Amino acid sequence: MKECYVPENDDPRWPSDDKDTSSAEPKGPKGGGEATVWLPMSGLANGKTEELSVPKVTPESGSWFEPVVEVEEEPDVPETPTPQWSAFAPVTPVEQEKPSEPKTLFVKPVQPQHGDEPDWDQFDRGAPTPSRDPEPRQEPPAQETPPPETPRRPEQNRVEPPRPAPVPSATMHARPVRIEPAEERFDSEATVGIQQPEPPSEKPPAPPAAAAAPAPAPKPKRRKRKVLVITTVVVFLLLAGMGGASAMPKVSNRLGLPWAPNAPKGDIPKPAGISRVLHGPDLNGAGPTKEGLASALAGPAGSADLGTLTGTVVDAATGEVLWDKNSGTPLTPASTTKILVVAAALLSLDHGMQIPTKIVQGADPGTAILVAGGDPSLTSLPLGTDSPLYPGAAHVDDLVAQVKKATGGKITKVQLDVSLFKGPTAAKGWDQEDTAAGNTYMAAVLPVMADGGRNDPKSDHAPRIANPAAALTQKIAGKLEAQAGGTTTAPKDAKVLGEVKSQPLAEFANSLLQLSDNMLADVLARQIAIAKGAEASFTGGAAATMDVLKQAGFDLTGVQINDGSGLSDQNKIPAKVLSEILAVAAAPDGKDPRTAKLRPLLAGLPVAGGSGTLEKRYGDPASAAGRGWVRGKTGTLSGVNTLAGVVLDTDGRMLVFALMSSGSDQNKGRAALDVVAATLHKCGCR
């Protein structure tokens, strides 16, 4: 039989003041078949000392006992030989609440119930600790496999035996340790604070709960199933929506799907070379004939809505008159008068000319004088914001900023010099309402103003101000934190504090024609007069315009003008004069030396259905063919409707036309003129 000894090299960690009494001799019988270590125990009622025997422990037996000893200090006791293995692990002594008689608690050894294998699970379940009979028992068969090792906590790892140490005194509180069959020892610290097992009962320990019945399978979570269902529905809806959207023509066309309405029905053609060179009108092809054109215009030109109609059609390439109807009869031209003024300006003035506006120093340093130079296109919009009415116009804020920089802002008074223009501010033949405050046609013609005299710098149809020059002076004075000081005449050599200039002449003329701006036209006529050395007035402007055109070789028989805007109902111009000027402007390059100077005139003509005064016209089915093809200058007064311009026919031939209607209703007369011009575009007229 194998013997199990308590190791004597176990190093219990007892308090340092304990006394080592482990050298006493054992009192048991010697030389027996099993070794028994006798440990002194005290605390009996009579003060006697009993001895507690430790039975033999083998790996096969699996004995476990936990004597709980509560004793007080005891006198000297016999020392016992130092065992090789300690059956106890050190614990911290427990202080007694009060002194009492020594007590010794014995745990009766209980013979464990053995089966084929030891029930090691009971040690981890906290089952009662069985004791074993000191009687020898038969060794288990060697072929039996040892039970599986029970999982242990990290602190339950095997500890190598340290150097031999004395067995602690029996008078100390001691706690047993568990000795596993694999000769592994677990320190008492691992069981400190754990409830002590109850005394063993005669009933066998219950099997582990885990072994009683298998755990039920977890039920599937409803939430996961619900999420899966929702995800499936969302994906289905998305796919359905995408399928429905792709069936729509717009979507399928945009995505280029095979079933798209605009999908190619055949092979994609090979790329072809293109030329981005703009081609002018056809100069060599066959033009319309007089007979063909007369036949095409018979109906439109004979409309009763036109009243009395005069007009002419000219082939721009050859200068040949293709159609004529009393074109030599002078009629009221209305705003087509502006064609004569712009032509005279382009012929007599430099196309890059700019009209200046200055502020000079007055008699004293605190006075500034606004010197009008004849530019009505100054804009009151902030710097950085271009005028929608007059693109490229000078800014009032720019002028003010220059004055502040030159004077340090030390201006107390601003005066106005309008001595450049002479004569009345309204022309002969004008209606008094044309210059009344609040009208949308015209303001008093003065040599300086902002936004053409309008009270809104962004609207062409905004009401006009009664005295736009005085209003501008007041505005500048407010920006300089000064007072407006009335009118004066600036000294000739006065110091210039600030100066701005209008857009160049070509751009100025373009704005004039696009908007049919009456103020710009009358001011431009006076610039012609100034350039010719004539008086800057209505009379001087009209006379200078006629002189320039006559000198350029145009026949002005029957022409009579009183202003540059055409507001005067006493102006008279034959249709052939208008067509002759436009024909020179549209002539092929190099054919006429006047053409180069007059070409900007064509660029300023409004486009049918696209820009200027023709933007909202040519919407009727009868005239829709002319949209984008007809360019012309309009004219409208009470009972007067005129249209003069250019158009390309179906063969690419440029035709010049001038149509003047008298005694017609405004709306019906305009529409009838548009049909005539559109007919010119539709016909080859051969």
Side-chain angles (χ1 to χ4, degrees), residues 337-338 341 518 521-522 525 538 562-566 571:
T337 303
K338 296 179 176 71
V341 174
N518 296 320
D522 276 311
F538 283 110
N562 297 281
D563 59 12
S565 61
N571 291 347

Side-chain angles (χ1 to χ4, degrees), residues 76-87:
D76 294 344
V77 296
E79 296 182 354
T80 59
T82 302
Q84 293 183 355
W85 295 90
S86 175

Side-chain angles (χ1 to χ4, degrees), residues 230 290 368 399 405 525 679:
I230 293 176
K290 293 182 179 180
L399 186 61
K405 183 178 181 180
T679 302

